Amino acid sequence: TPSIAFAEGITWPEWKYLVHTTRIYSVADFLDDPLDPRHGYKGQFDYEKTLDMLDQQDSFDKLYLKQSFYGQIFPKTTTGMHLFLGLGRNLPVYRYFYLGGPDSFVGMNYDEFFGPNVAIYGIDNKIRLNNRFSLLAIFNGGNLWDDYQNFDLTKNRYTGYGGGIQINTIAGPFRFIIGHSGGITYQYFTLGFSLSTRMDERY
């Protein structure tokens, strides 16, 4: 059998990137149903700061805030209003906010909407045809900017919209959504609930 022999052993370089941070995280959840809410409020707050007194590569601050409100203005219709704000000071690229997809910005691909400072606002309506089937209509907008102190809603603005169906199954809600933004259309299929690594940690 052919083989290749090396005179000396191959050693791969060791790569270490030390970052020490402290973090404050809180969640307030008053939703009537975690998977398919009709009423309630959910708020998430996360603040992370590097421990600059320790020897490390980076020094940054990072603030994450998400607010969601649900209510029924009309019978069999649930309206959700959402606000996401991510602010960063001296954020390295690997700590940017990475968002996109049906749970954060419909009309964009997963992790396509990213930057050191992000604002997203959105509204969605769910029309319940019966206990199993619902129609969905979604609109969202957002901004990206470099310096957290120079927030300007008129620059780097993006919008997206979409529609679809939801079917409640024994495994959780199944959703098929078509989203459009910037001349590009995406199709999303989701089943069950969103893993925390997508919205609450991957940002």
Side-chain angles (χ1 to χ4, degrees):
T1 302
S3 64
I4 299 176
F6 294 93
E8 298 181 2
I10 298 177
T11 58
W12 299 101
E14 185 177 1
W15 184 78
K16 290 184 178 180
Y17 202 81
L18 296 177
V19 177
H20 305 278
T21 66
T22 182
R23 185 180 182 191
I24 301 172
Y25 178 77
S26 66
V27 176
D29 190 339
F30 300 99
L31 300 180
D32 60 340
D33 187 315
L35 297 182
D36 190 18
R38 298 171 185 247
H39 301 279
Y41 160 81
K42 184 175 182 180
Q44 298 169 256
F45 172 86
D46 194 320
Y47 176 70
E48 184 180 12
K49 179 177 176 56
T50 52
L51 299 174
D52 299 334
M53 72 285 297
L54 301 178
D55 184 25
Q56 58 188 343
Q57 314 302 116
D58 293 319
S59 173
F60 62 83
D61 296 79
K62 187 174 185 179
L63 173 67
Y64 164 97
L65 181 68
K66 185 185 178 189
Q67 310 284 304
S68 294
F69 303 85
Y70 295 90
Q72 289 187 298
I73 302 176
F74 304 103
K76 296 185 177 181
T77 301
T78 299
T79 300
M81 294 183 293
H82 313 279
L83 172 65
F84 173 86
L85 180 65
L87 299 176
R89 182 188 65 85
N90 298 330
L91 280 186
V93 174
Y94 72 93
R95 296 299 291 159
Y96 277 9
F97 299 92
Y98 289 85
L99 300 165
D103 293 321
S104 59
F105 202 105
V106 71
M108 289 194 176
N109 205 352
Y110 294 102
D111 297 343
E112 183 181 358
F113 193 89
F114 68 92
N117 296 279
V118 175
I120 297 177
Y121 45 89
I123 185 169
D124 56 66
N125 280 287
K126 180 182 297 180
I127 302 174
R128 302 175 188 275
L129 304 179
N130 51 47
N131 291 332
R132 177 165 293 187
F133 295 94
S134 300
L135 300 178
L136 308 174
I138 306 168
F139 170 82
N140 44 221
N143 296 79
L144 300 169
W145 69 103
D146 292 327
D147 187 347
Y148 73 98
Q149 295 179 318
N150 295 327
F151 177 42
D152 189 349
L153 285 174
T154 65
K155 297 179 180 180
N156 298 321
R157 184 172 55 191
Y158 303 86
T159 58
Y161 58 90
I165 61 170
Q166 175 176 309
I167 304 173
N168 293 330
T169 72
I170 192 172
F174 165 80
R175 294 189 301 164
F176 169 65
I177 298 172
I178 298 177
H180 184 83
S181 178
I184 301 176
T185 299
Y186 288 100
Q187 298 181 14
Y188 311 99
F189 297 88
T190 65
L191 176 64
F193 59 91
S194 232
L195 295 176
S196 62
T197 51
R198 172 56 57 187
M199 270 304 299
D200 302 336
E201 297 293 341
R202 182 73 174 99
Y203 59 81

